[in-house]
Amino acid sequence: MSGQKVKLISLEGDARYTRLLGGAPETRGMKSGYVILQPGESVGAHSTGLKEEAIIILEGELQVILDGKFFMTAGKGQVLYIPPETQHDIKNAADTAARYIYVVAPVL
Amino acid sequence: MSGQKVKLISLEGDARYTRLLGGAPETRGMKSGYVILQPGESVGAHSTGLKEEAIIILEGELQVILDGKFFMTAGKGQVLYIPPETQHDIKNAADTAARYIYVVAPVL
């Protein structure tokens, strides 16, 4: 261990983005955030580079867009895995708010 | 990339444990599972070794036990971070079922 501590974070507020775990030195590399997308909003196309990502959808329905093209719909009660080096966007194309948590982690 | 694919997994059923992401080669190292603990049940004391863990609590209230001692209560709408090499147990001491998702990832 290098001083990381057990930590409990509450999902609060209605901000578009709330940081939950900020990476080192708070963790050994893992980052996490809480995202709320209103109808019509999207995160913006991005890649996590060499890291991989799990997205836990808490509420709503989201479009998963890969390389600019619609790939699939993902919703509440589903977990989405995004491999390293994968350009992706997440869009709320439904008419209610969507909420999710992402966890991004380094790979060996 | 080494062949990992975008994957969507649905939380289904009422099994105590459902594997969501099984590690390599499905991912580059990240593992994830869906756990349902009935009142009185606990996961059992364990450590994730050199890996770190995020626990996203979807429902219920849980006791976090570190090195055999009660440490804190964590519940729905909260995210718990467990550093590497941390012996911990998760117990449902409430009177309703609890559900959570864990994500375990290697550290650099």
Side-chain angles (χ1 to χ4, degrees):
Chain A
M1 291 184 60
S2 307
Q4 288 79 31
K5 291 189 168 66
V6 173
K7 186 175 177 184
L8 183 67
I9 312 108
S10 295
L11 306 181
E12 289 175 343
D14 55 3
R16 178 182 164 93
Y17 170 71
T18 303
R19 188 174 74 173
L20 301 177
L21 295 171
E26 186 182 6
T27 70
R28 286 289 295 277
M30 181 180 274
K31 296 183 180 186
S32 179
Y34 175 46
V35 177
I36 302 177
L37 292 179
Q38 300 301 327
E41 290 185 338
S42 59
V43 168
H46 66 290
S47 161
T48 56
L50 291 175
K51 298 174 181 174
E52 56 188 349
E53 181 173 15
I55 293 177
I56 294 102
I57 305 167
L58 303 176
E59 187 177 8
E61 189 179 289
L62 294 161
Q63 288 188 352
V64 182
I65 295 159
L66 299 184
D67 291 321
K69 295 178 189 165
F70 172 81
F71 183 71
M72 60 167 64
T73 297
K76 179 180 177 178
Q78 294 185 307
V79 174
L80 178 67
Y81 169 71
I82 307 282
E85 307 279 16
T86 305
Q87 211 237 35
H88 64 283
D89 195 1
I90 304 288
K91 180 175 183 176
N92 184 358
D95 57 6
T96 58
R99 301 186 300 120
Y100 67 87
I101 290 169
Y102 69 80
V103 178
V104 172
V107 302
L108 294 179
Chain B
M1 291 183 61
S2 307
Q4 287 79 30
K5 292 187 168 65
V6 174
K7 186 175 178 184
L8 183 67
I9 311 109
S10 296
L11 306 181
E12 290 174 343
D14 56 4
R16 178 182 164 93
Y17 170 70
T18 304
R19 188 173 74 173
L20 302 177
L21 295 171
E26 185 182 7
T27 70
R28 286 289 295 277
M30 182 180 273
K31 295 183 180 186
S32 178
Y34 174 46
V35 177
I36 303 177
L37 292 179
Q38 300 301 327
E41 290 185 339
S42 59
V43 168
H46 66 289
S47 162
T48 56
L50 291 174
K51 297 174 180 174
E52 56 188 349
E53 181 173 16
I55 293 177
I56 295 102
I57 304 167
L58 303 176
E59 187 178 8
E61 189 179 289
L62 294 161
Q63 288 187 352
V64 181
I65 295 158
L66 299 184
D67 291 320
K69 294 178 189 165
F70 172 80
F71 184 71
M72 61 167 63
T73 297
K76 179 179 177 176
Q78 294 185 306
V79 174
L80 178 67
Y81 169 72
I82 307 281
E85 307 279 17
T86 305
Q87 211 237 35
H88 64 284
D89 195 0
I90 304 288
K91 180 175 182 175
N92 184 358
D95 57 6
T96 58
R99 300 186 299 121
Y100 67 87
I101 290 169
Y102 69 80
V103 178
V104 172
V107 303
L108 293 180

